[in-house]
Amino acid sequence: MNKVLLVFALLSVLILVAAKKPKDKPEWAKKDIRDYSDADMERLLDQWEEDEDPLDDDELPEHLRPMPKIDMTKIDAADPESLLQMTKKGRTLMTFVNVAGKPTREKTEEVTKLWQTSLWNNHIQAERYLVDDHRAIFLFKDGSQAWTAKEYMVDQELCESVTIENKVYDGKHVKKTHKSDEL
């Protein structure tokens, strides 16, 4: 009786093992890895990522993140910049800043570095890149901070202008130079 049960148990195990045998591999998977084409590598990557959990919104690349939710009840119709500021929340934004006068590259570096430090001290993170002897780009990872930074920079004595989203804001200590603002 024990022998019959033992044989029956072994047969059951063999049947289960045979049933769990993995499916045959596709032709492309049987090749040597050195012979894989780009299409084979793409299929391998897709297979690898098949069971991965999707990324959180904040981990996605910026162009794949959902747009920020805008509360239309908080929008002031008299202030279109506030709407623009809300839409740039969490998005990268470049701001161009011109230094007044005819400064040297070193003077522009010194002045814009001081402005950047002041912004960082106010918890506004901006990367700074010189693009000309009198011009710099401030890159904001959170674009909504650009308007707060603009308010600070246009108050500075050596700020000629700040450009955000193709709108030029003149420095308060410099005469207007842009005809589009005079119309």
PDB file of all heavy atoms in Angstrom, residues 26-58:
ATOM      1  N   PRO A  26      10.962  32.129 -28.240  1.00  0.00           N
ATOM      2  CA  PRO A  26      10.834  32.538 -29.637  1.00  0.00           C
ATOM      3  C   PRO A  26      12.200  32.460 -30.329  1.00  0.00           C
ATOM      4  O   PRO A  26      13.245  32.407 -29.673  1.00  0.00           O
ATOM      5  CB  PRO A  26      10.329  33.981 -29.549  1.00  0.00           C
ATOM      6  CG  PRO A  26      10.601  34.422 -28.163  1.00  0.00           C
ATOM      7  CD  PRO A  26      10.694  33.188 -27.307  1.00  0.00           C
ATOM      8  N   GLU A  27      12.179  32.478 -31.635  1.00  0.00           N
ATOM      9  CA  GLU A  27      13.421  32.325 -32.414  1.00  0.00           C
ATOM     10  C   GLU A  27      14.461  33.374 -32.051  1.00  0.00           C
ATOM     11  O   GLU A  27      15.643  33.070 -31.933  1.00  0.00           O
ATOM     12  CB  GLU A  27      13.113  32.378 -33.918  1.00  0.00           C
ATOM     13  CG  GLU A  27      12.521  31.102 -34.467  1.00  0.00           C
ATOM     14  CD  GLU A  27      13.429  29.891 -34.242  1.00  0.00           C
ATOM     15  OE1 GLU A  27      14.645  29.976 -34.526  1.00  0.00           O
ATOM     16  OE2 GLU A  27      12.922  28.861 -33.774  1.00  0.00           O
ATOM     17  N   TRP A  28      14.012  34.648 -31.858  1.00  0.00           N
ATOM     18  CA  TRP A  28      14.977  35.705 -31.584  1.00  0.00           C
ATOM     19  C   TRP A  28      15.678  35.492 -30.247  1.00  0.00           C
ATOM     20  O   TRP A  28      16.805  35.914 -30.055  1.00  0.00           O
ATOM     21  CB  TRP A  28      14.320  37.086 -31.636  1.00  0.00           C
ATOM     22  CG  TRP A  28      13.297  37.332 -30.557  1.00  0.00           C
ATOM     23  CD1 TRP A  28      11.969  37.092 -30.618  1.00  0.00           C
ATOM     24  CD2 TRP A  28      13.541  37.848 -29.255  1.00  0.00           C
ATOM     25  NE1 TRP A  28      11.359  37.415 -29.450  1.00  0.00           N
ATOM     26  CE2 TRP A  28      12.302  37.896 -28.584  1.00  0.00           C
ATOM     27  CE3 TRP A  28      14.676  38.276 -28.572  1.00  0.00           C
ATOM     28  CZ2 TRP A  28      12.172  38.354 -27.291  1.00  0.00           C
ATOM     29  CZ3 TRP A  28      14.544  38.743 -27.278  1.00  0.00           C
ATOM     30  CH2 TRP A  28      13.304  38.774 -26.646  1.00  0.00           C
ATOM     31  N   ALA A  29      15.014  34.831 -29.295  1.00  0.00           N
ATOM     32  CA  ALA A  29      15.591  34.611 -27.971  1.00  0.00           C
ATOM     33  C   ALA A  29      16.578  33.453 -27.962  1.00  0.00           C
ATOM     34  O   ALA A  29      17.360  33.310 -27.030  1.00  0.00           O
ATOM     35  CB  ALA A  29      14.483  34.365 -26.956  1.00  0.00           C
ATOM     36  N   LYS A  30      16.556  32.609 -28.994  1.00  0.00           N
ATOM     37  CA  LYS A  30      17.472  31.471 -29.061  1.00  0.00           C
ATOM     38  C   LYS A  30      18.837  31.879 -29.614  1.00  0.00           C
ATOM     39  O   LYS A  30      19.792  31.129 -29.510  1.00  0.00           O
ATOM     40  CB  LYS A  30      16.875  30.362 -29.931  1.00  0.00           C
ATOM     41  CG  LYS A  30      15.637  29.726 -29.325  1.00  0.00           C
ATOM     42  CD  LYS A  30      15.068  28.680 -30.244  1.00  0.00           C
ATOM     43  CE  LYS A  30      13.766  28.109 -29.693  1.00  0.00           C
ATOM     44  NZ  LYS A  30      13.159  27.166 -30.618  1.00  0.00           N
ATOM     45  N   LYS A  31      18.913  33.072 -30.192  1.00  0.00           N
ATOM     46  CA  LYS A  31      20.171  33.536 -30.789  1.00  0.00           C
ATOM     47  C   LYS A  31      21.190  33.876 -29.699  1.00  0.00           C
ATOM     48  O   LYS A  31      20.832  34.168 -28.561  1.00  0.00           O
ATOM     49  CB  LYS A  31      19.938  34.805 -31.623  1.00  0.00           C
ATOM     50  CG  LYS A  31      19.157  34.579 -32.879  1.00  0.00           C
ATOM     51  CD  LYS A  31      19.260  35.764 -33.816  1.00  0.00           C
ATOM     52  CE  LYS A  31      18.291  36.851 -33.488  1.00  0.00           C
ATOM     53  NZ  LYS A  31      18.277  37.932 -34.470  1.00  0.00           N
ATOM     54  N   ASP A  32      22.437  33.875 -30.103  1.00  0.00           N
ATOM     55  CA  ASP A  32      23.515  34.337 -29.224  1.00  0.00           C
ATOM     56  C   ASP A  32      23.323  35.845 -29.027  1.00  0.00           C
ATOM     57  O   ASP A  32      22.983  36.564 -29.969  1.00  0.00           O
ATOM     58  CB  ASP A  32      24.872  34.047 -29.884  1.00  0.00           C
ATOM     59  CG  ASP A  32      26.039  34.339 -28.950  1.00  0.00           C
ATOM     60  OD1 ASP A  32      25.994  35.362 -28.235  1.00  0.00           O
ATOM     61  OD2 ASP A  32      26.994  33.541 -28.942  1.00  0.00           O
ATOM     62  N   ILE A  33      23.556  36.325 -27.820  1.00  0.00           N
ATOM     63  CA  ILE A  33      23.341  37.741 -27.503  1.00  0.00           C
ATOM     64  C   ILE A  33      24.159  38.651 -28.413  1.00  0.00           C
ATOM     65  O   ILE A  33      23.755  39.763 -28.730  1.00  0.00           O
ATOM     66  CB  ILE A  33      23.641  38.024 -26.007  1.00  0.00           C
ATOM     67  CG1 ILE A  33      23.245  39.449 -25.592  1.00  0.00           C
ATOM     68  CG2 ILE A  33      25.117  37.863 -25.714  1.00  0.00           C
ATOM     69  CD1 ILE A  33      21.820  39.610 -25.325  1.00  0.00           C
ATOM     70  N   ARG A  34      25.299  38.193 -28.877  1.00  0.00           N
ATOM     71  CA  ARG A  34      26.144  39.001 -29.763  1.00  0.00           C
ATOM     72  C   ARG A  34      25.532  39.161 -31.152  1.00  0.00           C
ATOM     73  O   ARG A  34      25.906  40.049 -31.901  1.00  0.00           O
ATOM     74  CB  ARG A  34      27.540  38.385 -29.869  1.00  0.00           C
ATOM     75  CG  ARG A  34      28.294  38.437 -28.524  1.00  0.00           C
ATOM     76  CD  ARG A  34      29.538  37.639 -28.592  1.00  0.00           C
ATOM     77  NE  ARG A  34      29.146  36.213 -28.645  1.00  0.00           N
ATOM     78  CZ  ARG A  34      29.966  35.212 -28.489  1.00  0.00           C
ATOM     79  NH1 ARG A  34      31.244  35.424 -28.309  1.00  0.00           N
ATOM     80  NH2 ARG A  34      29.532  33.969 -28.532  1.00  0.00           N
ATOM     81  N   ASP A  35      24.568  38.314 -31.481  1.00  0.00           N
ATOM     82  CA  ASP A  35      23.934  38.373 -32.797  1.00  0.00           C
ATOM     83  C   ASP A  35      22.595  39.113 -32.762  1.00  0.00           C
ATOM     84  O   ASP A  35      21.899  39.171 -33.774  1.00  0.00           O
ATOM     85  CB  ASP A  35      23.699  36.949 -33.331  1.00  0.00           C
ATOM     86  CG  ASP A  35      25.008  36.202 -33.537  1.00  0.00           C
ATOM     87  OD1 ASP A  35      26.017  36.874 -33.841  1.00  0.00           O
ATOM     88  OD2 ASP A  35      25.012  34.969 -33.397  1.00  0.00           O
ATOM     89  N   TYR A  36      22.212  39.683 -31.613  1.00  0.00           N
ATOM     90  CA  TYR A  36      20.936  40.384 -31.492  1.00  0.00           C
ATOM     91  C   TYR A  36      20.938  41.647 -32.352  1.00  0.00           C
ATOM     92  O   TYR A  36      21.908  42.396 -32.380  1.00  0.00           O
ATOM     93  CB  TYR A  36      20.677  40.794 -30.041  1.00  0.00           C
ATOM     94  CG  TYR A  36      20.011  39.726 -29.197  1.00  0.00           C
ATOM     95  CD1 TYR A  36      20.068  38.387 -29.519  1.00  0.00           C
ATOM     96  CD2 TYR A  36      19.318  40.074 -28.052  1.00  0.00           C
ATOM     97  CE1 TYR A  36      19.464  37.422 -28.737  1.00  0.00           C
ATOM     98  CE2 TYR A  36      18.716  39.117 -27.258  1.00  0.00           C
ATOM     99  CZ  TYR A  36      18.788  37.796 -27.618  1.00  0.00           C
ATOM    100  OH  TYR A  36      18.182  36.851 -26.839  1.00  0.00           O
ATOM    101  N   SER A  37      19.829  41.892 -33.011  1.00  0.00           N
ATOM    102  CA  SER A  37      19.646  43.132 -33.762  1.00  0.00           C
ATOM    103  C   SER A  37      19.056  44.176 -32.814  1.00  0.00           C
ATOM    104  O   SER A  37      18.708  43.872 -31.665  1.00  0.00           O
ATOM    105  CB  SER A  37      18.716  42.900 -34.946  1.00  0.00           C
ATOM    106  OG  SER A  37      17.420  42.606 -34.468  1.00  0.00           O
ATOM    107  N   ASP A  38      18.892  45.397 -33.298  1.00  0.00           N
ATOM    108  CA  ASP A  38      18.284  46.449 -32.481  1.00  0.00           C
ATOM    109  C   ASP A  38      16.846  46.082 -32.108  1.00  0.00           C
ATOM    110  O   ASP A  38      16.399  46.344 -30.992  1.00  0.00           O
ATOM    111  CB  ASP A  38      18.302  47.791 -33.225  1.00  0.00           C
ATOM    112  CG  ASP A  38      19.700  48.379 -33.309  1.00  0.00           C
ATOM    113  OD1 ASP A  38      20.572  47.971 -32.511  1.00  0.00           O
ATOM    114  OD2 ASP A  38      19.914  49.258 -34.178  1.00  0.00           O
ATOM    115  N   ALA A  39      16.143  45.474 -33.024  1.00  0.00           N
ATOM    116  CA  ALA A  39      14.757  45.060 -32.753  1.00  0.00           C
ATOM    117  C   ALA A  39      14.725  43.988 -31.660  1.00  0.00           C
ATOM    118  O   ALA A  39      13.846  44.004 -30.788  1.00  0.00           O
ATOM    119  CB  ALA A  39      14.097  44.536 -34.025  1.00  0.00           C
ATOM    120  N   ASP A  40      15.687  43.056 -31.690  1.00  0.00           N
ATOM    121  CA  ASP A  40      15.761  42.015 -30.651  1.00  0.00           C
ATOM    122  C   ASP A  40      16.035  42.651 -29.290  1.00  0.00           C
ATOM    123  O   ASP A  40      15.439  42.261 -28.280  1.00  0.00           O
ATOM    124  CB  ASP A  40      16.859  41.001 -30.983  1.00  0.00           C
ATOM    125  CG  ASP A  40      16.583  40.226 -32.255  1.00  0.00           C
ATOM    126  OD1 ASP A  40      15.403  40.077 -32.617  1.00  0.00           O
ATOM    127  OD2 ASP A  40      17.565  39.761 -32.880  1.00  0.00           O
ATOM    128  N   MET A  41      16.929  43.627 -29.263  1.00  0.00           N
ATOM    129  CA  MET A  41      17.260  44.299 -27.999  1.00  0.00           C
ATOM    130  C   MET A  41      16.041  45.074 -27.472  1.00  0.00           C
ATOM    131  O   MET A  41      15.801  45.096 -26.272  1.00  0.00           O
ATOM    132  CB  MET A  41      18.442  45.256 -28.190  1.00  0.00           C
ATOM    133  CG  MET A  41      19.758  44.532 -28.479  1.00  0.00           C
ATOM    134  SD  MET A  41      20.234  43.387 -27.177  1.00  0.00           S
ATOM    135  CE  MET A  41      20.950  44.490 -26.016  1.00  0.00           C
ATOM    136  N   GLU A  42      15.288  45.679 -28.379  1.00  0.00           N
ATOM    137  CA  GLU A  42      14.081  46.405 -27.984  1.00  0.00           C
ATOM    138  C   GLU A  42      13.052  45.455 -27.384  1.00  0.00           C
ATOM    139  O   GLU A  42      12.422  45.756 -26.365  1.00  0.00           O
ATOM    140  CB  GLU A  42      13.502  47.136 -29.201  1.00  0.00           C
ATOM    141  CG  GLU A  42      12.439  48.137 -28.864  1.00  0.00           C
ATOM    142  CD  GLU A  42      12.955  49.328 -28.079  1.00  0.00           C
ATOM    143  OE1 GLU A  42      14.114  49.738 -28.272  1.00  0.00           O
ATOM    144  OE2 GLU A  42      12.193  49.837 -27.246  1.00  0.00           O
ATOM    145  N   ARG A  43      12.873  44.280 -27.987  1.00  0.00           N
ATOM    146  CA  ARG A  43      11.940  43.278 -27.447  1.00  0.00           C
ATOM    147  C   ARG A  43      12.399  42.800 -26.074  1.00  0.00           C
ATOM    148  O   ARG A  43      11.590  42.604 -25.166  1.00  0.00           O
ATOM    149  CB  ARG A  43      11.825  42.084 -28.397  1.00  0.00           C
ATOM    150  CG  ARG A  43      10.856  42.317 -29.541  1.00  0.00           C
ATOM    151  CD  ARG A  43      10.595  41.028 -30.283  1.00  0.00           C
ATOM    152  NE  ARG A  43      11.775  40.590 -30.992  1.00  0.00           N
ATOM    153  CZ  ARG A  43      12.023  40.758 -32.292  1.00  0.00           C
ATOM    154  NH1 ARG A  43      11.170  41.275 -33.045  1.00  0.00           N
ATOM    155  NH2 ARG A  43      13.120  40.362 -32.871  1.00  0.00           N
ATOM    156  N   LEU A  44      13.711  42.620 -25.918  1.00  0.00           N
ATOM    157  CA  LEU A  44      14.262  42.196 -24.641  1.00  0.00           C
ATOM    158  C   LEU A  44      13.999  43.256 -23.569  1.00  0.00           C
ATOM    159  O   LEU A  44      13.605  42.928 -22.445  1.00  0.00           O
ATOM    160  CB  LEU A  44      15.762  41.923 -24.779  1.00  0.00           C
ATOM    161  CG  LEU A  44      16.470  41.328 -23.574  1.00  0.00           C
ATOM    162  CD1 LEU A  44      15.889  39.959 -23.234  1.00  0.00           C
ATOM    163  CD2 LEU A  44      17.957  41.209 -23.832  1.00  0.00           C
ATOM    164  N   LEU A  45      14.174  44.525 -23.918  1.00  0.00           N
ATOM    165  CA  LEU A  45      13.910  45.613 -22.976  1.00  0.00           C
ATOM    166  C   LEU A  45      12.427  45.655 -22.604  1.00  0.00           C
ATOM    167  O   LEU A  45      12.078  45.809 -21.436  1.00  0.00           O
ATOM    168  CB  LEU A  45      14.337  46.951 -23.578  1.00  0.00           C
ATOM    169  CG  LEU A  45      14.059  48.180 -22.722  1.00  0.00           C
ATOM    170  CD1 LEU A  45      14.850  48.119 -21.416  1.00  0.00           C
ATOM    171  CD2 LEU A  45      14.382  49.448 -23.477  1.00  0.00           C
ATOM    172  N   ASP A  46      11.549  45.499 -23.605  1.00  0.00           N
ATOM    173  CA  ASP A  46      10.111  45.486 -23.325  1.00  0.00           C
ATOM    174  C   ASP A  46       9.744  44.344 -22.388  1.00  0.00           C
ATOM    175  O   ASP A  46       8.935  44.509 -21.473  1.00  0.00           O
ATOM    176  CB  ASP A  46       9.311  45.357 -24.623  1.00  0.00           C
ATOM    177  CG  ASP A  46       9.379  46.614 -25.469  1.00  0.00           C
ATOM    178  OD1 ASP A  46       9.754  47.679 -24.923  1.00  0.00           O
ATOM    179  OD2 ASP A  46       9.066  46.522 -26.678  1.00  0.00           O
ATOM    180  N   GLN A  47      10.349  43.191 -22.619  1.00  0.00           N
ATOM    181  CA  GLN A  47      10.093  42.023 -21.771  1.00  0.00           C
ATOM    182  C   GLN A  47      10.593  42.285 -20.352  1.00  0.00           C
ATOM    183  O   GLN A  47       9.955  41.909 -19.375  1.00  0.00           O
ATOM    184  CB  GLN A  47      10.786  40.803 -22.379  1.00  0.00           C
ATOM    185  CG  GLN A  47      10.436  39.502 -21.724  1.00  0.00           C
ATOM    186  CD  GLN A  47      11.164  38.334 -22.387  1.00  0.00           C
ATOM    187  OE1 GLN A  47      12.213  38.493 -23.016  1.00  0.00           O
ATOM    188  NE2 GLN A  47      10.607  37.148 -22.240  1.00  0.00           N
ATOM    189  N   TRP A  48      11.722  42.938 -20.250  1.00  0.00           N
ATOM    190  CA  TRP A  48      12.314  43.242 -18.942  1.00  0.00           C
ATOM    191  C   TRP A  48      11.402  44.184 -18.155  1.00  0.00           C
ATOM    192  O   TRP A  48      11.195  44.034 -16.964  1.00  0.00           O
ATOM    193  CB  TRP A  48      13.687  43.886 -19.159  1.00  0.00           C
ATOM    194  CG  TRP A  48      14.391  44.264 -17.899  1.00  0.00           C
ATOM    195  CD1 TRP A  48      14.309  45.451 -17.247  1.00  0.00           C
ATOM    196  CD2 TRP A  48      15.290  43.454 -17.131  1.00  0.00           C
ATOM    197  NE1 TRP A  48      15.090  45.449 -16.132  1.00  0.00           N
ATOM    198  CE2 TRP A  48      15.708  44.227 -16.039  1.00  0.00           C
ATOM    199  CE3 TRP A  48      15.776  42.165 -17.271  1.00  0.00           C
ATOM    200  CZ2 TRP A  48      16.590  43.744 -15.098  1.00  0.00           C
ATOM    201  CZ3 TRP A  48      16.667  41.699 -16.320  1.00  0.00           C
ATOM    202  CH2 TRP A  48      17.062  42.482 -15.252  1.00  0.00           C
ATOM    203  N   GLU A  49      10.835  45.190 -18.832  1.00  0.00           N
ATOM    204  CA  GLU A  49      10.033  46.211 -18.163  1.00  0.00           C
ATOM    205  C   GLU A  49       8.571  45.818 -17.999  1.00  0.00           C
ATOM    206  O   GLU A  49       7.790  46.570 -17.425  1.00  0.00           O
ATOM    207  CB  GLU A  49      10.120  47.523 -18.947  1.00  0.00           C
ATOM    208  CG  GLU A  49      11.492  48.143 -18.906  1.00  0.00           C
ATOM    209  CD  GLU A  49      11.586  49.403 -19.756  1.00  0.00           C
ATOM    210  OE1 GLU A  49      10.712  49.607 -20.622  1.00  0.00           O
ATOM    211  OE2 GLU A  49      12.528  50.159 -19.533  1.00  0.00           O
ATOM    212  N   GLU A  50       8.181  44.658 -18.488  1.00  0.00           N
ATOM    213  CA  GLU A  50       6.795  44.212 -18.478  1.00  0.00           C
ATOM    214  C   GLU A  50       6.144  44.261 -17.098  1.00  0.00           C
ATOM    215  O   GLU A  50       5.025  44.726 -16.951  1.00  0.00           O
ATOM    216  CB  GLU A  50       6.736  42.764 -18.989  1.00  0.00           C
ATOM    217  CG  GLU A  50       5.728  42.522 -20.046  1.00  0.00           C
ATOM    218  CD  GLU A  50       5.898  41.135 -20.634  1.00  0.00           C
ATOM    219  OE1 GLU A  50       5.952  40.153 -19.872  1.00  0.00           O
ATOM    220  OE2 GLU A  50       5.992  41.044 -21.864  1.00  0.00           O
ATOM    221  N   ASP A  51       6.825  43.772 -16.095  1.00  0.00           N
ATOM    222  CA  ASP A  51       6.217  43.644 -14.772  1.00  0.00           C
ATOM    223  C   ASP A  51       6.569  44.782 -13.818  1.00  0.00           C
ATOM    224  O   ASP A  51       6.284  44.698 -12.632  1.00  0.00           O
ATOM    225  CB  ASP A  51       6.638  42.306 -14.137  1.00  0.00           C
ATOM    226  CG  ASP A  51       6.105  41.119 -14.934  1.00  0.00           C
ATOM    227  OD1 ASP A  51       5.010  41.247 -15.513  1.00  0.00           O
ATOM    228  OD2 ASP A  51       6.784  40.081 -14.984  1.00  0.00           O
ATOM    229  N   GLU A  52       7.176  45.851 -14.331  1.00  0.00           N
ATOM    230  CA  GLU A  52       7.554  46.961 -13.464  1.00  0.00           C
ATOM    231  C   GLU A  52       6.345  47.808 -13.122  1.00  0.00           C
ATOM    232  O   GLU A  52       5.418  47.958 -13.915  1.00  0.00           O
ATOM    233  CB  GLU A  52       8.608  47.841 -14.144  1.00  0.00           C
ATOM    234  CG  GLU A  52       9.985  47.239 -14.113  1.00  0.00           C
ATOM    235  CD  GLU A  52      11.041  48.221 -14.597  1.00  0.00           C
ATOM    236  OE1 GLU A  52      10.727  49.395 -14.788  1.00  0.00           O
ATOM    237  OE2 GLU A  52      12.168  47.779 -14.768  1.00  0.00           O
ATOM    238  N   ASP A  53       6.376  48.394 -11.924  1.00  0.00           N
ATOM    239  CA  ASP A  53       5.317  49.314 -11.517  1.00  0.00           C
ATOM    240  C   ASP A  53       5.504  50.632 -12.267  1.00  0.00           C
ATOM    241  O   ASP A  53       6.629  51.052 -12.527  1.00  0.00           O
ATOM    242  CB  ASP A  53       5.393  49.586 -10.013  1.00  0.00           C
ATOM    243  CG  ASP A  53       5.085  48.333  -9.200  1.00  0.00           C
ATOM    244  OD1 ASP A  53       4.328  47.479  -9.708  1.00  0.00           O
ATOM    245  OD2 ASP A  53       5.596  48.217  -8.062  1.00  0.00           O
ATOM    246  N   PRO A  54       4.423  51.318 -12.584  1.00  0.00           N
ATOM    247  CA  PRO A  54       4.565  52.619 -13.264  1.00  0.00           C
ATOM    248  C   PRO A  54       5.192  53.638 -12.320  1.00  0.00           C
ATOM    249  O   PRO A  54       5.044  53.553 -11.091  1.00  0.00           O
ATOM    250  CB  PRO A  54       3.128  52.995 -13.626  1.00  0.00           C
ATOM    251  CG  PRO A  54       2.268  52.164 -12.744  1.00  0.00           C
ATOM    252  CD  PRO A  54       3.040  50.932 -12.401  1.00  0.00           C
ATOM    253  N   LEU A  55       5.892  54.619 -12.901  1.00  0.00           N
ATOM    254  CA  LEU A  55       6.548  55.654 -12.106  1.00  0.00           C
ATOM    255  C   LEU A  55       5.529  56.628 -11.548  1.00  0.00           C
ATOM    256  O   LEU A  55       4.480  56.866 -12.147  1.00  0.00           O
ATOM    257  CB  LEU A  55       7.551  56.422 -12.973  1.00  0.00           C
ATOM    258  CG  LEU A  55       8.764  55.646 -13.474  1.00  0.00           C
ATOM    259  CD1 LEU A  55       9.569  56.496 -14.437  1.00  0.00           C
ATOM    260  CD2 LEU A  55       9.625  55.195 -12.312  1.00  0.00           C
ATOM    261  N   ASP A  56       5.856  57.210 -10.390  1.00  0.00           N
ATOM    262  CA  ASP A  56       5.023  58.265  -9.828  1.00  0.00           C
ATOM    263  C   ASP A  56       5.134  59.495 -10.728  1.00  0.00           C
ATOM    264  O   ASP A  56       6.114  59.655 -11.460  1.00  0.00           O
ATOM    265  CB  ASP A  56       5.490  58.624  -8.413  1.00  0.00           C
ATOM    266  CG  ASP A  56       5.245  57.500  -7.421  1.00  0.00           C
ATOM    267  OD1 ASP A  56       4.299  56.706  -7.655  1.00  0.00           O
ATOM    268  OD2 ASP A  56       5.982  57.419  -6.419  1.00  0.00           O
ATOM    269  N   ASP A  57       4.163  60.393 -10.633  1.00  0.00           N
ATOM    270  CA  ASP A  57       4.162  61.592 -11.478  1.00  0.00           C
ATOM    271  C   ASP A  57       5.425  62.423 -11.311  1.00  0.00           C
ATOM    272  O   ASP A  57       5.956  62.959 -12.277  1.00  0.00           O
ATOM    273  CB  ASP A  57       2.936  62.461 -11.172  1.00  0.00           C
ATOM    274  CG  ASP A  57       1.664  61.848 -11.721  1.00  0.00           C
ATOM    275  OD1 ASP A  57       1.757  60.925 -12.563  1.00  0.00           O
ATOM    276  OD2 ASP A  57       0.573  62.286 -11.304  1.00  0.00           O
ATOM    277  N   ASP A  58       5.916  62.544 -10.063  1.00  0.00           N
ATOM    278  CA  ASP A  58       7.099  63.379  -9.843  1.00  0.00           C
ATOM    279  C   ASP A  58       8.391  62.722 -10.326  1.00  0.00           C
ATOM    280  O   ASP A  58       9.419  63.382 -10.418  1.00  0.00           O
ATOM    281  CB  ASP A  58       7.220  63.771  -8.369  1.00  0.00           C
ATOM    282  CG  ASP A  58       7.377  62.573  -7.449  1.00  0.00           C
ATOM    283  OD1 ASP A  58       7.019  61.452  -7.856  1.00  0.00           O
ATOM    284  OD2 ASP A  58       7.853  62.756  -6.308  1.00  0.00           O
TER     285      ASP A  58
END
